[in-house]
Amino acid sequence: MTSRRSFITQSALAFSALSASRVLGANETIRIASIGLGGQGLGNAGRMAKVPGVEIAYLCDPDTAALDKAKKVFPNAKTTQDLRKVMEDKSIDAVVVSTGNHWHVLASIWAMQSGKDVYVEKPVSHNIWEGRKLVEAARKYNRIVQGGTQQRSDPLQDEIKAFLDAGSMGKIKYVRCNHYSMRASIGKRTEPLTPPATVDYDLWLGPAKDEPIYREKFHYDWHWDWNTGNGEMGNWGPHILDDLRNVVFRDKVALPKRVIAGGGRFAWDDAGETPNTHFAYMDTGSIPVIIDFHNLPRQKGIKAPDVYLRRRTGAFLIIECEGGYYTGSRGGGTAFDSEGKKLHIFKGDGGKTHAANFIDAIRSRKSEDLKGEVEKIHFSSAWCHLANNSFRLGQKYNREQAEAAVKDFQPWNDVIADFHQHLIKNELDASKLDIKMGPMLEIDSAKETFIGDTATPEALALLTREYRSGFEVPQSV
Ligand SMILES: NC(=O)c1ccc[n+]([C@@H]2O[C@H](COP(=O)([O-])OP(=O)(O)OC[C@H]3O[C@@H](n4cnc5c(N)ncnc54)[C@H](O)[C@@H]3O)[C@@H](O)[C@H]2O)c1
């Protein structure tokens, strides 16, 4: 196996000679490597393969079971467990990174250093610092880098913007974002889990810490462990907050000025660390934002997710205006006047042209052609990390103190009231739970760091991570 040191040396040399990236003719086939072949990776490979002029040429996953499954769909593609082999292959033009979140940035940077363009899943980073490194690499190597928030390519978003601008609902007062979906306990083993025999665990782990795993399932449930995932805030959050940053803020607000979050992981007593009930306030300097997630059922014993006000399931954006509101999720939404009369129904396509948009930009070599250009999605991912950072710094929750943290803003009191109601419906006694309430973090948007009293060593440490030896995201890309 190529050592990491020799890999980097080789790829840097290859790139400095500009030999790693082919100059593509207009009709030439674009050869893609699909890195990470779980549920989303296989889906992404299928969507890319449908774009005219694209070939899925390389399949990569440390799990040979995932490779075998993908090979049935793409029998002519080469396979490897080791992404460094992909980087060395000069016939590969672009990679699609659909690994766990902890690998997104390093895999993308290695690909860019090898002259390849990148489509990287959301959240595009596992922490804010490495997200900036991802953007720096895209600029340095002049690569086309698309973030995997596919709704950016949905014409729906421009239609909502135009509707808001037409003014029939008046000025925006605030935005409430949410996603209420049911999840379940991931179990809590007494003995650590042995990774499946088909997995090269060193490669699966990459930058993450080598620590025992106590959940039952190896794949997917890494989301609920801070070592590899970013919880529900970093799972649905990047979609929702990216819609918000695009539709409401028109990409003019990079990061919020202040963020505070609370919540906890209740009822399950499992090996997961991330909250299953999470609420946050984001002070943007203009329109205020509230976001919350509920993973417990609507009511104990009922197999249905919670409901929010006027929308039964999975509402993402609720844009509250002076004379009405818009409520919508992926694929569509509705605008109402203040009496609840429907003003307009919007239908979206769920972002089905996002893969084609990436391929078009690879051919045009213009990153401004990308709908999900990486810096935009870096910012949207960072909003999620900030809400997680505040939660992780949390102290014991006290309702009065929590309410007082955001003054004169009724929607903050509302989200706290909803949180308590949700606990009651699940027959949980708030006074007996380990509820956390984080500090109001102050953010320097230009420097992407904390400032003021909350810029403590503990807070600053959460902006990055300790990288496992051999898998460091470079300080200088
Ligand atoms: N855009 C969307 O709508 C959407 C939907 C679902 C998931 N996602 C994102 O896609 C990513 C994958 O999610 P999933 O549900 O498929 O997870 P998953 O756990 O099912 O699959 C991840 C796969 O990556 C592989 N992997 C790990 N390390 C690797 C490495 N070094 N090289 C190559 N492969 C590696 C794993 O073995 C696994 O097969 C996540 O970041 C998730 O947030 C996006």
Side-chain angles (χ1 to χ4, degrees), residues 297-304 425-427:
R298 186 177 307 172
Q299 192 176 328
K300 190 175 179 179
I302 287 185
K303 283 203 177 103
K425 289 273 188 187
N426 278 280
E427 297 175 21

Side-chain angles (χ1 to χ4, degrees), residues 77-98:
K78 276 165 75 176
T79 56
T80 181
Q81 285 179 282
D82 186 346
L83 70 172
R84 291 169 293 200
K85 293 273 189 299
V86 173
M87 309 308 166
E88 286 164 8
D89 187 333
K90 293 197 175 80
S91 77
I92 296 299
D93 302 302
V95 301
V96 177
V97 179
S98 318

Side-chain angles (χ1 to χ4, degrees), residues 36 40 61-62 98-99 101 103-104 121-122 148 150 203 220 222:
Q40 183 65 1
D61 198 299
S98 318
T99 60
N101 301 355
W103 254 115
H104 287 177
E121 267 305 340
K122 46 52 56 174
Q150 61 271 29
L203 284 171
Y220 192 81
W222 50 262

